[in-house]
Amino acid sequence: QVQLAESGGGLAQAGGSLRLSCTASERTFSNLVMGWFRQAPGKEREFVVVIGREGYSTLYADSVKGRFTISRANAKNTVYLQMNSLKPEDTAVYYCAARQSIGITMSRNAYDYWGQGTQVIVSS
């Protein structure tokens, strides 16, 4: 069982930045594909970004492309989400997710483990 713990959420102004972190309990972290999803009030959980096992492959949702950057440090069992040029519509609970199978995907159902989420609020 892989445990994921997100941190770094909080309040930011529009145009500002936040960096989220997600640390995994899994010793073989490099075997996991890691993704970020978010869920705004009253909406379904949606895909944000995913990164492959070695960090070479990434896939971004159109809504965050050019503003958000995902990276990972396998030696630290941690994946990061740098969020720049934040907009009020980025307000959501952000979830880290891990996938044991090979291949990056936007599909929520393809992920095996989920964190508890961290709240991001962007004020206008």
Side-chain angles (χ1 to χ4, degrees):
Q1 185 77 9
V2 177
Q3 295 182 333
L4 304 173
E6 302 99 335
S7 61
L11 178 65
Q13 291 188 332
S17 299
L18 284 173
R19 188 174 85 151
L20 306 183
S21 299
C22 171
T23 300
S25 62
E26 178 62 33
R27 288 182 296 173
T28 54
F29 179 74
S30 60
N31 288 345
L32 300 173
V33 170
M34 299 299 298
W36 287 96
F37 290 73
R38 66 186 182 186
Q39 187 166 16
K43 295 187 177 181
E44 290 191 355
R45 192 171 299 187
E46 66 174 7
F47 168 79
V48 177
V49 61
V50 59
I51 188 167
R53 293 175 170 185
E54 296 299 325
Y56 300 128
S57 300
T58 58
L59 181 63
Y60 290 85
D62 288 343
S63 58
V64 305
K65 201 173 293 182
R67 300 188 299 120
F68 290 11
T69 302
I70 191 171
S71 61
R72 64 189 296 162
N74 286 348
K76 296 182 179 181
N77 285 12
T78 301
V79 62
Y80 304 98
L81 181 62
Q82 178 66 44
M83 305 187 294
N84 298 330
S85 302
L86 284 163
K87 304 176 180 180
E89 50 263 45
D90 294 319
T91 294
V93 176
Y94 282 72
Y95 296 91
C96 174
R99 167 178 160 82
Q100 292 182 312
S101 300
I102 295 174
I104 58 175
T105 176
M106 297 187 294
S107 174
R108 190 175 58 194
N109 295 332
Y111 288 80
D112 304 298
Y113 304 102
W114 294 83
Q116 293 299 308
T118 185
Q119 177 74 58
V120 170
I121 298 173
V122 183
S123 61
S124 57

